Amino acid sequence: PEDYAGAWVADMRAARARGYSEFVGPAIAHDTVWLDFFLKGCEGTTDCKEYMTYLACHRYRTDCGTYRADPEDAGWRDDLSYLLSMYRLMKKYNARGFNIKGIVMDELGCLQSDWWTPAAQPDQLRYMKEFYRDTIVAVRTGAGGMEEKILKTPWLMPKGPDAHAPDAHYAE
């Protein structure tokens, strides 16, 4: 992942030449460890920090038909842990000289168990309601006591090792 920082900067320079002024890092669907190592590589790549305006992520699930915004639901806890990991990466790298403004969730999706075929529309709507509206939007608007519910949810933890740990390397 660290080796991709130079190519990413070249793309962002081209975008800036076309008038863009804010940029989104590589979008990650599941592997926040990859992003940590990419950002570590970005630290040593000229101009990379200045182009990293937002982090981006996707979420795909195969359990949308049963998904619930509830501490008992393992899928919901997994989504929250994923967002916690992204948030911690933003905080970590801002403390290391970046100026990341936020996290962009640019794709949410539901798939069948083959991870390819789209899930049925009612399942997709359930996930959007439970995770997006009843969790993310509720936290952003202060509605429904969701923030308190999340704070009391056990087993929320960041994913993966720290790219700056001694002897850390990315295992593909």
Side-chain angles (χ1 to χ4, degrees), residues 14-168:
R16 177 167 279 161
R18 289 180 177 84
Y20 293 94
S21 60
E22 295 191 319
F23 308 94
V24 179
I28 304 301
H30 294 287
D31 194 353
T32 57
V33 175
W34 188 97
L35 184 59
D36 192 8
F37 278 88
F38 173 84
L39 292 169
K40 180 182 177 187
C42 195
E43 286 181 301
T45 302
T46 303
D47 297 332
C48 196
K49 288 181 185 181
E50 80 174 77
Y51 286 115
M52 190 63 62
T53 316
Y54 295 93
L55 300 180
C57 61
H58 312 314
R59 284 308 280 166
Y60 301 105
R61 302 210 60 84
T62 61
D63 61 353
C64 295
T66 59
Y67 189 93
R68 293 175 298 123
D70 185 277
E72 298 297 317
D73 188 85
W76 188 67
R77 292 191 314 266
D78 182 59
D79 280 345
L80 292 175
S81 292
Y82 181 76
L83 289 177
L84 175 63
S85 297
M86 294 296 291
Y87 178 77
R88 286 186 174 175
L89 286 175
M90 181 180 75
K91 290 296 199 183
K92 170 185 172 178
Y93 284 95
N94 281 347
R96 297 179 74 86
F98 286 69
N99 188 27
I100 302 167
K101 295 179 181 181
I103 301 166
V104 175
M105 290 197 73
D106 58 356
E107 293 181 24
L108 294 173
C110 297
L111 303 168
Q112 293 182 21
S113 61
D114 64 4
W115 288 94
W116 184 257
T117 308
Q121 185 176 12
D123 293 348
Q124 294 183 43
L125 292 172
R126 178 186 183 115
Y127 180 59
M128 293 300 290
K129 176 189 166 292
E130 295 286 328
F131 182 55
Y132 184 71
R133 188 191 73 190
D134 294 350
T135 304
I136 295 172
V137 173
V139 168
R140 297 286 298 164
T141 62
M146 181 55 73
E147 188 171 344
E148 183 72 20
K149 185 177 185 178
I150 291 169
L151 289 172
K152 291 182 177 181
T153 299
W155 304 109
L156 296 183
M157 58 194 83
K159 299 180 174 286
D162 184 333
H164 289 86
D167 300 321

